[in-house]
Amino acid sequence: MNKEHKVLKFFMPLLSCIYFVLIGFICGSVMEKEFNILRSLFSIFLEILAVVLTVFIIKKLLPKVFPQAKKYKFTIPPAYILISIFLIVPLWYILKYELIYLVMSHFTMIKFEYSVCTTKELKENLIACISAFFLAPIYEELSCRYLGLSAFNKKSSQLIFGFFIAVFFGIMHLSNAMGAFMDAIILMLLFVFTENIAISIWFHSCWNIHVITFYVLILLGVCNASDSSYPSIIRIESSGTIIASVVSAIIGIVIFATGYRKKRNSEKLIST
Protein backbone atom coordinates (compact mmCIF):
# COMPACT_ATOMS: atom_id res chain seq x y z
CA MET A 1 0.00 0.00 0.00
CA ASN A 2 1.49 3.35 -1.07
CA LYS A 3 1.59 6.49 1.02
CA GLU A 4 -1.53 7.99 -0.57
CA HIS A 5 -3.54 4.86 0.25
CA LYS A 6 -2.34 4.91 3.86
CA VAL A 7 -3.41 8.53 4.27
CA LEU A 8 -6.77 7.83 2.63
CA LYS A 9 -7.33 4.80 4.88
CA PHE A 10 -6.69 6.89 7.98
CA PHE A 11 -9.29 9.42 6.88
CA MET A 12 -11.90 6.90 5.67
CA PRO A 13 -13.90 7.01 8.96
CA LEU A 14 -14.09 10.82 8.72
CA LEU A 15 -14.99 10.72 5.02
CA SER A 16 -17.68 8.14 5.69
CA CYS A 17 -19.20 10.40 8.37
CA ILE A 18 -19.18 13.37 5.99
CA TYR A 19 -20.83 11.22 3.32
CA PHE A 20 -23.46 10.08 5.85
CA VAL A 21 -24.24 13.69 6.85
CA LEU A 22 -24.59 14.81 3.22
CA ILE A 23 -26.89 11.94 2.32
CA GLY A 24 -28.96 12.46 5.46
CA PHE A 25 -29.21 16.21 4.86
CA ILE A 26 -30.33 15.81 1.25
CA CYS A 27 -32.93 13.17 2.08
CA GLY A 28 -34.12 14.79 5.29
CA SER A 29 -34.35 18.40 4.07
CA VAL A 30 -37.39 17.47 2.01
CA MET A 31 -39.30 16.56 5.21
CA GLU A 32 -38.43 19.65 7.26
CA LYS A 33 -41.75 21.34 6.47
CA GLU A 34 -45.21 20.19 7.54
CA PHE A 35 -46.03 16.58 6.73
CA ASN A 36 -47.09 16.01 3.13
CA ILE A 37 -47.55 12.71 1.30
CA LEU A 38 -45.84 13.95 -1.88
CA ARG A 39 -42.80 15.18 0.05
CA SER A 40 -42.70 11.84 1.86
CA LEU A 41 -42.70 9.94 -1.42
CA PHE A 42 -40.01 12.22 -2.86
CA SER A 43 -37.89 11.70 0.25
CA ILE A 44 -38.26 7.92 -0.18
CA PHE A 45 -37.19 8.29 -3.82
CA LEU A 46 -34.07 10.19 -2.74
CA GLU A 47 -33.27 7.48 -0.19
CA ILE A 48 -33.57 4.81 -2.88
CA LEU A 49 -31.03 6.77 -4.94
CA ALA A 50 -28.81 7.03 -1.84
CA VAL A 51 -28.93 3.26 -1.37
CA VAL A 52 -28.08 2.61 -5.03
CA LEU A 53 -25.18 5.09 -4.93
CA THR A 54 -23.78 3.70 -1.68
CA VAL A 55 -23.99 0.08 -2.87
CA PHE A 56 -22.18 1.11 -6.06
CA ILE A 57 -19.40 2.75 -4.01
CA ILE A 58 -18.81 -0.24 -1.73
CA LYS A 59 -19.11 -2.85 -4.48
CA LYS A 60 -17.30 -1.20 -7.38
CA LEU A 61 -15.05 1.59 -6.09
CA LEU A 62 -13.98 0.66 -2.56
CA PRO A 63 -12.42 -2.76 -3.44
CA LYS A 64 -10.28 -1.13 -6.12
CA VAL A 65 -8.66 1.11 -3.53
CA PHE A 66 -8.76 -1.29 -0.57
CA PRO A 67 -8.82 -4.93 -1.76
CA GLN A 68 -9.21 -6.17 1.83
CA ALA A 69 -12.74 -4.75 1.81
CA LYS A 70 -13.81 -7.69 -0.36
CA LYS A 71 -13.80 -10.03 2.65
CA TYR A 72 -16.76 -8.22 4.19
CA LYS A 73 -20.08 -9.69 3.12
CA PHE A 74 -23.36 -8.09 2.24
CA THR A 75 -25.45 -11.26 2.24
CA ILE A 76 -28.68 -12.27 3.96
CA PRO A 77 -27.80 -14.11 7.22
CA PRO A 78 -29.40 -17.43 8.24
CA ALA A 79 -33.03 -17.38 9.38
CA TYR A 80 -32.16 -18.16 13.01
CA ILE A 81 -30.08 -14.98 13.21
CA LEU A 82 -32.82 -12.84 11.65
CA ILE A 83 -35.48 -14.23 14.00
CA SER A 84 -33.35 -14.02 17.14
CA ILE A 85 -32.37 -10.38 16.52
CA PHE A 86 -35.98 -9.43 15.84
CA LEU A 87 -37.05 -11.00 19.15
CA ILE A 88 -34.20 -9.56 21.24
CA VAL A 89 -34.36 -5.93 20.08
CA PRO A 90 -37.52 -4.93 22.07
CA LEU A 91 -35.78 -5.73 25.37
CA TRP A 92 -32.71 -3.77 24.26
CA TYR A 93 -35.06 -0.85 23.54
CA ILE A 94 -36.33 -0.90 27.13
CA LEU A 95 -33.00 -1.59 28.84
CA LYS A 96 -31.14 1.05 26.86
CA TYR A 97 -33.39 3.88 27.95
CA GLU A 98 -33.41 2.67 31.54
CA LEU A 99 -29.60 2.75 31.51
CA ILE A 100 -29.59 6.25 30.04
CA TYR A 101 -32.00 7.37 32.76
CA LEU A 102 -29.85 5.86 35.53
CA VAL A 103 -26.75 7.64 34.21
CA MET A 104 -28.22 11.02 33.27
CA SER A 105 -30.37 11.36 36.40
CA HIS A 106 -27.15 11.79 38.38
CA PHE A 107 -26.23 14.90 36.37
CA THR A 108 -29.51 16.62 35.56
CA MET A 109 -33.17 16.77 36.48
CA ILE A 110 -35.17 14.79 33.93
CA LYS A 111 -38.77 15.81 33.42
CA PHE A 112 -41.10 13.10 32.14
CA GLU A 113 -44.49 13.52 30.52
CA TYR A 114 -47.09 10.90 29.73
CA SER A 115 -46.51 9.59 26.19
CA VAL A 116 -49.34 10.06 23.74
CA CYS A 117 -49.64 9.20 20.08
CA THR A 118 -52.36 10.72 17.90
CA THR A 119 -53.83 9.14 14.78
CA LYS A 120 -52.13 11.83 12.69
CA GLU A 121 -48.74 11.05 14.24
CA LEU A 122 -49.32 7.34 13.72
CA LYS A 123 -50.13 7.94 10.04
CA GLU A 124 -46.91 9.89 9.62
CA ASN A 125 -44.93 7.19 11.47
CA LEU A 126 -46.39 4.41 9.34
CA ILE A 127 -45.40 6.23 6.14
CA ALA A 128 -41.96 6.89 7.62
CA CYS A 129 -41.78 3.17 8.38
CA ILE A 130 -41.03 2.50 4.70
CA SER A 131 -37.84 4.50 5.04
CA ALA A 132 -37.03 3.43 8.60
CA PHE A 133 -37.30 -0.28 7.87
CA PHE A 134 -36.18 -0.69 4.26
CA LEU A 135 -33.98 2.25 3.22
CA ALA A 136 -32.37 4.38 5.95
CA PRO A 137 -30.68 1.43 7.75
CA ILE A 138 -29.08 0.31 4.49
CA TYR A 139 -27.35 3.56 3.51
CA GLU A 140 -26.59 4.46 7.13
CA GLU A 141 -24.87 1.15 7.88
CA LEU A 142 -23.09 1.00 4.54
CA SER A 143 -21.75 4.53 4.98
CA CYS A 144 -21.02 4.61 8.74
CA ARG A 145 -19.85 1.04 9.23
CA TYR A 146 -18.88 -0.59 5.92
CA LEU A 147 -17.38 2.44 4.19
CA GLY A 148 -15.70 3.71 7.34
CA LEU A 149 -14.22 0.48 8.72
CA SER A 150 -13.68 -2.09 5.95
CA ALA A 151 -10.45 -0.42 4.83
CA PHE A 152 -8.73 -1.64 8.02
CA ASN A 153 -7.28 -5.13 8.37
CA LYS A 154 -6.96 -5.24 12.17
CA LYS A 155 -10.03 -5.52 14.35
CA SER A 156 -8.33 -3.36 16.96
CA SER A 157 -8.15 -0.49 14.46
CA GLN A 158 -11.77 -1.04 13.50
CA LEU A 159 -12.85 -0.92 17.13
CA ILE A 160 -10.93 2.30 17.78
CA PHE A 161 -12.20 4.13 14.70
CA GLY A 162 -15.65 2.56 15.16
CA PHE A 163 -15.81 4.15 18.61
CA PHE A 164 -15.17 7.61 17.16
CA ILE A 165 -17.77 7.01 14.45
CA ALA A 166 -20.22 6.05 17.21
CA VAL A 167 -19.45 9.32 19.03
CA PHE A 168 -20.12 11.24 15.82
CA PHE A 169 -23.29 9.21 15.19
CA GLY A 170 -24.50 10.10 18.68
CA ILE A 171 -23.76 13.81 18.29
CA MET A 172 -25.73 13.85 15.05
CA HIS A 173 -28.81 12.64 16.93
CA LEU A 174 -28.73 15.65 19.30
CA SER A 175 -31.11 14.99 22.23
CA ASN A 176 -30.84 11.24 21.67
CA ALA A 177 -27.04 11.39 21.56
CA MET A 178 -26.38 8.81 24.27
CA GLY A 179 -28.95 6.36 22.90
CA ALA A 180 -27.66 6.71 19.34
CA PHE A 181 -24.08 6.25 20.59
CA MET A 182 -25.02 3.00 22.36
CA ASP A 183 -26.83 1.74 19.27
CA ALA A 184 -23.83 2.62 17.09
CA ILE A 185 -21.50 0.63 19.36
CA ILE A 186 -23.73 -2.45 19.02
CA LEU A 187 -23.95 -2.01 15.25
CA MET A 188 -20.18 -1.60 14.98
CA LEU A 189 -19.51 -4.74 17.03
CA LEU A 190 -21.94 -6.75 14.90
CA PHE A 191 -20.16 -5.67 11.71
CA VAL A 192 -16.61 -6.11 12.99
CA PHE A 193 -17.08 -9.59 14.45
CA THR A 194 -19.53 -11.08 11.92
CA GLU A 195 -17.93 -9.40 8.88
CA ASN A 196 -21.41 -9.18 7.38
CA ILE A 197 -22.95 -5.71 7.14
CA ALA A 198 -26.39 -7.24 6.50
CA ILE A 199 -26.59 -8.26 10.18
CA SER A 200 -26.01 -4.66 11.29
CA ILE A 201 -28.60 -3.48 8.78
CA TRP A 202 -31.14 -6.00 10.08
CA PHE A 203 -30.55 -4.97 13.72
CA HIS A 204 -30.96 -1.32 12.71
CA SER A 205 -34.16 -2.11 10.80
CA CYS A 206 -35.61 -4.11 13.70
CA TRP A 207 -34.84 -1.26 16.07
CA ASN A 208 -36.69 1.23 13.87
CA ILE A 209 -39.71 -1.00 13.34
CA HIS A 210 -40.03 -1.76 17.05
CA VAL A 211 -39.96 1.96 17.87
CA ILE A 212 -42.99 2.40 15.61
CA THR A 213 -44.59 -0.72 17.11
CA PHE A 214 -44.38 0.80 20.59
CA TYR A 215 -46.07 3.97 19.30
CA VAL A 216 -48.88 1.83 17.87
CA LEU A 217 -49.30 0.09 21.24
CA ILE A 218 -49.41 3.47 22.99
CA LEU A 219 -52.09 4.73 20.59
CA LEU A 220 -54.16 1.59 21.12
CA GLY A 221 -53.86 1.97 24.89
CA VAL A 222 -52.11 -1.38 25.24
CA CYS A 223 -48.85 0.17 26.46
CA ASN A 224 -48.26 3.05 28.87
CA ALA A 225 -45.07 5.06 28.63
CA SER A 226 -43.53 8.37 29.63
CA ASP A 227 -40.91 10.36 27.78
CA SER A 228 -38.55 13.28 28.20
CA SER A 229 -37.43 15.73 25.56
CA TYR A 230 -33.84 16.13 26.79
CA PRO A 231 -32.22 13.78 27.08
CA SER A 232 -34.53 11.83 24.81
CA ILE A 233 -35.79 8.94 26.96
CA ILE A 234 -38.84 6.73 26.60
CA ARG A 235 -39.71 4.65 29.67
CA ILE A 236 -42.10 1.74 29.15
CA GLU A 237 -44.31 1.51 32.24
CA SER A 238 -46.67 -1.35 31.31
CA SER A 239 -45.58 -4.49 33.13
CA GLY A 240 -47.22 -6.62 30.46
CA THR A 241 -45.12 -5.04 27.71
CA ILE A 242 -41.94 -5.44 29.76
CA ILE A 243 -42.68 -9.09 30.55
CA ALA A 244 -43.50 -9.77 26.89
CA SER A 245 -40.17 -8.19 25.86
CA VAL A 246 -38.25 -10.34 28.35
CA VAL A 247 -39.98 -13.53 27.18
CA SER A 248 -39.38 -12.52 23.55
CA ALA A 249 -35.66 -11.98 24.23
CA ILE A 250 -35.34 -15.36 25.99
CA ILE A 251 -36.99 -17.09 23.03
CA GLY A 252 -34.65 -15.20 20.70
CA ILE A 253 -31.58 -16.32 22.64
CA VAL A 254 -32.77 -19.94 22.61
CA ILE A 255 -33.39 -19.79 18.85
CA PHE A 256 -29.93 -18.32 18.27
CA ALA A 257 -28.20 -20.87 20.50
CA THR A 258 -30.05 -23.76 18.82
CA GLY A 259 -29.36 -22.48 15.32
CA TYR A 260 -25.71 -21.80 16.04
CA ARG A 261 -25.24 -25.27 17.54
CA LYS A 262 -26.81 -26.91 14.48
CA LYS A 263 -24.57 -24.84 12.23
CA ARG A 264 -21.45 -25.89 14.16
CA ASN A 265 -22.47 -29.56 14.11
CA SER A 266 -23.08 -29.50 10.36
CA GLU A 267 -19.68 -27.86 9.80
CA LYS A 268 -18.02 -30.62 11.85
CA LEU A 269 -19.78 -33.30 9.80
CA ILE A 270 -18.65 -31.70 6.57
CA SER A 271 -15.06 -31.37 7.79
CA THR A 272 -14.93 -35.06 8.77
Side-chain angles (χ1 to χ4, degrees):
M1 182 179 292
N2 56 39
K3 183 178 180 180
E4 290 77 10
H5 280 188
K6 290 181 179 179
V7 173
L8 179 60
K9 182 173 74 170
F10 180 80
F11 284 103
M12 279 304 294
L14 176 61
L15 294 174
S16 70
C17 289
I18 294 174
Y19 176 80
F20 164 69
V21 171
L22 290 176
I23 293 294
F25 175 78
I26 294 171
C27 296
S29 60
V30 180
M31 297 301 297
E32 288 182 352
K33 299 180 181 179
E34 186 178 351
F35 174 77
N36 180 282
I37 185 65
L38 292 179
R39 278 199 292 269
S40 296
L41 293 176
F42 183 59
S43 177
I44 290 173
F45 172 73
L46 291 177
E47 289 186 320
I48 292 174
L49 292 181
V51 169
V52 173
L53 174 62
T54 310
V55 170
F56 174 78
I57 291 174
I58 68 160
K59 288 292 186 181
K60 300 297 182 181
L61 301 183
L62 189 64
K64 293 182 179 180
V65 182
F66 302 108
Q68 64 269 28
K70 294 179 181 179
K71 75 174 183 178
Y72 296 98
K73 301 187 289 286
F74 186 12
T75 56
I76 299 176
Y80 75 90
I81 293 180
L82 297 177
I83 296 171
S84 60
I85 289 176
F86 184 82
L87 294 175
I88 292 171
V89 165
L91 183 59
W92 167 245
Y93 179 92
I94 295 173
L95 291 178
K96 183 188 75 170
Y97 283 122
E98 286 300 318
L99 180 60
I100 294 173
Y101 171 71
L102 288 174
V103 173
M104 296 302 296
S105 60
H106 290 290
F107 301 98
T108 183
M109 180 68 69
I110 302 176
K111 182 180 179 181
F112 285 96
E113 296 182 357
Y114 187 73
S115 298
V116 294
C117 182
T118 65
T119 305
K120 180 176 180 293
E121 290 173 333
L122 178 61
K123 179 182 176 182
E124 295 176 7
N125 283 331
L126 290 177
I127 294 175
C129 181
I130 298 175
S131 165
F133 189 70
F134 294 105
L135 300 173
I138 298 178
Y139 73 75
E140 287 185 14
E141 293 310 306
L142 290 179
S143 58
C144 288
R145 254 61 68 178
Y146 198 112
L147 195 59
L149 300 177
S150 61
F152 299 94
N153 288 316
K154 297 181 179 179
K155 282 183 169 50
S156 58
S157 299
Q158 292 178 323
L159 294 174
I160 292 171
F161 283 101
F163 174 83
F164 287 108
I165 291 176
V167 172
F168 178 85
F169 193 78
I171 293 173
M172 289 301 299
H173 284 75
L174 301 176
S175 63
N176 191 33
M178 190 171 179
F181 167 77
M182 294 169 67
D183 288 333
I185 291 294
I186 296 294
L187 294 167
M188 178 263 292
L189 293 174
L190 287 173
F191 173 63
V192 170
F193 290 104
T194 67
E195 298 184 351
N196 186 355
I197 193 62
I199 296 178
S200 297
I201 292 172
W202 178 245
F203 184 97
H204 196 150
S205 297
C206 290
W207 166 261
N208 288 348
I209 199 66
H210 281 304
V211 170
I212 295 174
T213 300
F214 277 119
Y215 276 114
V216 173
L217 294 177
I218 291 171
L219 176 66
L220 296 176
V222 177
C223 174
N224 295 322
S226 57
D227 61 77
S228 66
S229 57
Y230 187 85
S232 180
I233 298 175
I234 300 176
R235 300 190 75 189
I236 304 299
E237 299 174 348
S238 298
S239 58
T241 303
I242 296 173
I243 292 172
S245 299
V246 172
V247 173
S248 174
I250 293 173
I251 295 173
I253 293 171
V254 171
I255 290 175
F256 177 81
T258 304
Y260 183 75
R261 186 170 62 252
K262 289 181 178 179
K263 177 178 176 291
R264 294 288 295 176
N265 290 338
S266 62
E267 289 175 350
K268 290 180 181 178
L269 289 174
I270 293 173
S271 62
T272 56

